[in-house]
Amino acid sequence: MNNIRITRVKILDVLLFIAITLFSFACLFTLFYNENVNLVKKLSNNFYDDNALSFKTSKTELDFSSLYEALPNDTVLFGRFFRQGEDIRGVIYKGDYVPPKLISGRFFSESDFISNSHVAVIGRDVPINKTINEKKYVEYNHMDYEVIGIIGYNIPTRIDRTILLNLNADNITSSVEYIVSSSTIQNGLNFIGNEKMFGQVSVYDKENVNILHIIDRGNNQLITSIIFIFVLFVNSLSVMIFWNEKKNTEMKIKWSNGYTKKKILIDVWKDFFPILLLSLISALGSSWFFGKNMHDVELSLQPAMLGATILLLLFSFLVIGISYIKMTQR
């Protein structure tokens, strides 16, 4: 009988380890994901940041050379082009600009804008229209643009179907809607307030795209995540209660032999702590591997240690609380 009892306890230890590891992984990976909220916001907003201003101009023709000279440093200007089924934008920037992640090739450079070249950077799901001498091209407005780079992430986003063209003298008149993003909103307002260049300008509200649209599956993502984490927590709590039940006889014997409640609770925690510690280490390692290799999530040490500490304290208080309740029920 004793051998059978020992085997059951070991199996329960393994189940407890698995349950806590899964819940801790879900919590820690969510924490890491939220640490990357700025990137997530840019992805869900078609790579427009918080300082972006959407505006329309009354001018049907813009002077590209004057526009590029007037563009403030560390500023990007998008021109919105319209064609059914595709997101096509003209892009021009000065100074520092963090582009979308490149799968291959390169992003635009200042020389592309200055030389008025016809080049494009496309999402990974955009079909290639033409290949000449091993160079790939996409067509817009009866002009061929050489594909110099392909962008995309390891999760499906709207940018997978985006075509970015360098904004130049040939295509700048194809758009009357623009988005400017500078280091500050005021810099953007000063730029578009140049009546000689833009004429009458009307600023309109940005497209109301929230963070949940990063993956093209609607808002069900948040609800599913909350339910999933809640189910994992309930599962962990249930296994912990069952594990504690198996310690009940041992606690009774110690109580009969004059052990104090404090001593009994410390002994239970000592038995529980190695399982908890191993679970947290496994969850941290899994979160790092999953984030690094599948979702391009940057993991930082400080939030990782903070999250692991909170989980350690949470489960420690739970196991001590459950044990205390059982003792006071005697």
Side-chain angles (χ1 to χ4, degrees):
M1 286 294 291
N2 289 335
N3 290 335
I4 295 173
R5 181 177 175 275
I6 291 171
T7 302
R8 283 179 179 172
V9 170
K10 285 183 178 180
I11 291 173
L12 202 55
D13 289 346
V14 173
L15 291 176
L16 184 60
F17 162 75
I18 293 172
I20 295 177
T21 298
L22 289 174
F23 173 72
S24 300
F25 167 78
C27 292
L28 290 171
F29 189 77
T30 300
L31 175 65
F32 295 145
Y33 193 76
N34 288 331
E35 279 290 301
N36 292 260
V37 68
N38 288 333
L39 172 61
V40 174
K41 278 184 177 179
K42 288 188 78 171
L43 282 171
S44 62
N45 268 323
N46 289 327
F47 232 73
Y48 306 138
D49 61 26
D50 291 338
N51 291 335
L53 296 170
S54 302
F55 67 97
K56 295 179 181 179
T57 173
S58 61
K59 277 201 171 184
T60 56
E61 293 189 8
L62 298 177
D63 184 346
F64 176 78
S65 300
S66 300
L67 184 145
Y68 189 69
E69 285 182 18
L71 193 68
N73 200 37
D74 298 335
T75 300
V76 57
L77 178 69
F78 296 94
R80 296 186 65 183
F81 303 148
F82 296 95
R83 191 165 73 180
Q84 187 176 3
E86 292 173 328
D87 172 15
I88 305 177
R89 281 177 269 170
V91 180
I92 186 174
Y93 64 86
K94 262 188 184 178
D96 294 329
Y97 173 65
V98 180
K101 182 186 173 184
L102 284 162
I103 295 175
S104 62
R106 66 174 179 87
F107 203 67
F108 304 112
S109 65
E110 187 175 359
S111 60
D112 294 322
F113 307 133
I114 294 173
S115 63
N116 203 43
S117 59
H118 289 65
V119 290
V121 176
I122 64 174
R124 60 181 178 181
D125 291 341
V126 174
I128 301 296
N129 299 111
K130 188 184 295 184
T131 301
I132 303 173
N133 296 328
E134 298 184 354
K135 292 183 178 181
K136 299 175 181 178
Y137 294 86
V138 290
E139 181 269 336
Y140 176 72
N141 204 17
H142 307 295
M143 293 184 183
D144 290 332
Y145 289 79
E146 181 187 347
V147 176
I148 59 172
I150 297 176
I151 50 178
Y153 292 79
N154 291 333
I155 47 177
T157 66
R158 294 182 170 193
I159 209 163
D160 294 338
R161 300 185 300 276
T162 297
I163 297 175
L164 302 177
L165 311 175
N166 69 313
L167 199 59
N168 56 39
D170 293 323
N171 61 31
I172 195 167
T173 56
S174 300
S175 174
V176 292
E177 292 188 11
Y178 300 91
I179 295 92
V180 63
S181 178
S182 193
S183 53
T184 65
I185 293 177
Q186 189 58 52
N187 281 350
L189 289 171
N190 292 340
F191 172 64
I192 65 178
N194 188 335
E195 289 190 22
K196 185 177 179 181
M197 183 181 302
F198 292 108
Q200 294 298 314
V201 169
S202 57
V203 179
Y204 59 96
D205 291 336
K206 287 184 287 187
E207 184 182 358
N208 187 23
V209 181
N210 64 53
I211 197 171
L212 302 173
H213 288 101
I214 178 174
I215 298 177
D216 294 329
R217 293 175 186 169
N219 293 347
N220 293 330
Q221 176 176 260
L222 176 65
I223 299 169
T224 303
S225 298
I226 292 173
I227 294 174
F228 180 65
I229 291 177
F230 178 75
V231 169
L232 288 177
F233 176 73
V234 171
N235 184 53
S236 302
L237 189 61
S238 301
V239 177
M240 190 186 302
I241 293 171
F242 193 56
W243 179 87
N244 197 272
E245 282 286 345
K246 294 299 180 181
K247 295 287 180 183
N248 204 22
T249 303
E250 184 181 323
M251 286 191 290
K252 284 181 180 178
I253 294 171
K254 288 181 177 180
W255 180 256
S256 300
N257 287 318
Y259 279 62
T260 64
K261 289 181 180 179
K262 181 179 179 181
K263 174 62 176 171
I264 294 172
L265 291 175
I266 290 173
D267 287 346
V268 171
W269 182 80
K270 284 181 178 179
D271 290 340
F272 176 70
F273 181 73
I275 300 172
L276 176 60
L277 185 62
L278 189 59
S279 296
L280 292 176
I281 292 172
S282 299
L284 280 167
S286 301
S287 299
W288 177 85
F289 177 82
F290 190 72
K292 201 73 174 175
N293 294 284
M294 297 188 71
H295 279 64
D296 300 301
V297 175
E298 293 295 327
L299 311 182
S300 50
L301 184 61
Q302 188 172 353
M305 292 299 101
L306 177 62
T309 301
I310 292 172
L311 288 169
L312 187 147
L313 293 174
L314 170 66
F315 281 109
S316 294
F317 281 126
L318 280 173
V319 76
I320 291 171
I322 293 168
S323 301
Y324 180 80
I325 291 171
K326 288 191 176 297
M327 282 194 297
T328 54
Q329 286 176 345
R330 293 190 177 91

